[in-house]
Amino acid sequence: MTAARDLSVGVDVGGTNTDAVVLDGAGTVLASTKQPTTPDVTGGIRHGIAHVLDRLGDDRARVSRVMLGTTHATNAIVSRRGLERVAVIRLGAPAATEYPPVTGWPDDLTAAGIAGTAMVRGGHMVDGAPIAPLDRDGILRFLDGLGAFDAVAVTGIFAPSYPEQEQEVAALLRDRLGPDVRVFLSQDIGPAGLLERENATVLNAALHGIARGVTRALRTVVDEQGLDAVTYFAQNDGTLMSLDYAVQYPVLTIGSGPANSIRGAAFLSGADEAIVVDVGGTTSDLGVLLNGFPRESTLPREIGGVRTNFRMPDILSLGIGGGTTVDLATGAVGPGSVGYSIEREALLFGGATPTLTDAAALEGASIDGRTLPSLPGADKTALRRALDHARERLEVAVERLSLGRADLPLVVVGGAGFLVPDGLPGAGAIVRPGHGDVANAVGAAISLAGGRADQLSDVEDRDAALDTASKAAIERAIQAGADPLRVDVVDVVETPISYTTRPTVRVSVKAAGPLADLRATAASRT
């Protein structure tokens, strides 16, 4: 890339604001903005990108990359809107029939996204031995009798380590239904746990249409602005993927917002290890920074009432934000928030709804140079108590995440970072980096492209499993947009597997690297 094409635009869509920034090749923030998130979300993206490009003037021609973190996927699951109907196939009978597919799903989500389910013979034991021969005829009978569906999700027992049967099913479906049938395999989505991996695969298939719509919207905005730029999506783990990759794996974007905040906080503060708190308009999201990346959760995560096991940042979310409402009569804090309506509804902006932003202004925080209207003494007391309560909850959250380490700095970012006091018991130094109010968009703009792979093996074959998983993770990072010559393994986790006849280990490998040269990327797309 030449120096004349060294600008990147980062965009992050939150529940209250859509943030956008422009960074040059040295990582300097040249322009930034916070725009209200619009009900259709696309409008906020359009306004954010337009604003920062206007600030650039003629330098807009130097923009070569646009990175987006968005809550589209999460919102679709939570609201049960826009989901495709999925035919769900599990390979594992007769061993895995006790808990059928989508067991425990909320009824309304099942109605919105599931066309039908089937459990057929197939799958593998932990040592790779087949549970039963693959029931090809049973799969075809299920689909022939199903009626209309949009996509197929296939999950086999221990498929991440023994992928052959899932791949055989994909070939069977394309032969029967045509090459354009949308088939999603669990081996591409998550590690070995069956039910959570199956759930994530089904959600991924259901989100395919949403992902296509978001990618079209982003490309439309980029084209409207006349940008000659390559577009990327942020992933759950703080890395990026190409738009085409995001369409295939939209479930990997669900945790991108908090991950972007943590990565952006690391970049802006220079910290490699810290606790990060991103205080937005609706929530405060706290996470831990390890070696410059978000610490990942080791526990299954629940999204929209569905238990999954894809890798997510270890985030603790509190209902504390600048728009969090305060009941002056009872002193209750939240759980409601005025969200992106704060500039109309909060007292500070001439509205009638008391919020934590109003409480902070009462305590001396400078917010857009505004002052509160005259308030009765009782109302002032209620606002001060609400702010104290919010800070007590933040203190408890920091203590939980620090695991007893009082020396970890607390990096405060987000538009409502003024809610965090300069001294918080249990935390180390309080760091408020410049441009911290748009740290999430900065995190999107500076992220690497990444990929992950898992492998099960006997302990004695651990080296071979590590090699296989490393190669697969590197290949997925390249598919996501990483430079093939600069991608490398950045994290390895080995977990012993209990209740097996022989000592067994699961190897999880993460690879990441700088984005590929744009000229090579553009050539590959033509």
Side-chain angles (χ1 to χ4, degrees), residues 453-459 461-474 489 491-494 505-510:
D454 295 85
Q455 187 75 19
L456 281 175
S457 78
D458 293 342
V459 170
D461 297 326
R462 174 259 183 199
D463 291 342
L466 178 59
D467 182 65
T468 299
S470 297
K471 290 178 179 177
I474 288 172
V489 171
D491 188 38
V492 176
V493 177
E494 299 182 41
V505 64
R506 180 173 67 205
V507 177
S508 179
V509 177
K510 177 180 177 180

Side-chain angles (χ1 to χ4, degrees), residues 155-196:
T155 304
I157 297 178
F158 287 114
S161 294
Y162 310 105
E164 297 80 12
Q165 285 189 354
E166 285 191 353
Q167 294 168 354
E168 186 178 346
V169 172
L172 173 67
L173 296 181
R174 293 188 177 104
D175 182 64
R176 181 62 169 260
L177 303 174
D180 295 330
V181 62
R182 295 194 286 275
V183 182
F184 299 88
L185 307 181
S186 76
Q187 62 191 260
D188 299 323
I189 303 299
L194 175 64
L195 297 181
E196 291 86 359

Side-chain angles (χ1 to χ4, degrees), residues 124-129 131 157-158 161-162 456-458 497-502 504-505:
H124 293 85
M125 305 293 285
V126 69
D127 61 359
I131 294 172
I157 297 178
F158 287 114
S161 294
Y162 310 105
L456 281 175
S457 78
D458 293 342
I497 303 298
S498 304
Y499 309 112
T500 56
T501 57
R502 293 184 297 182
T504 303
V505 64

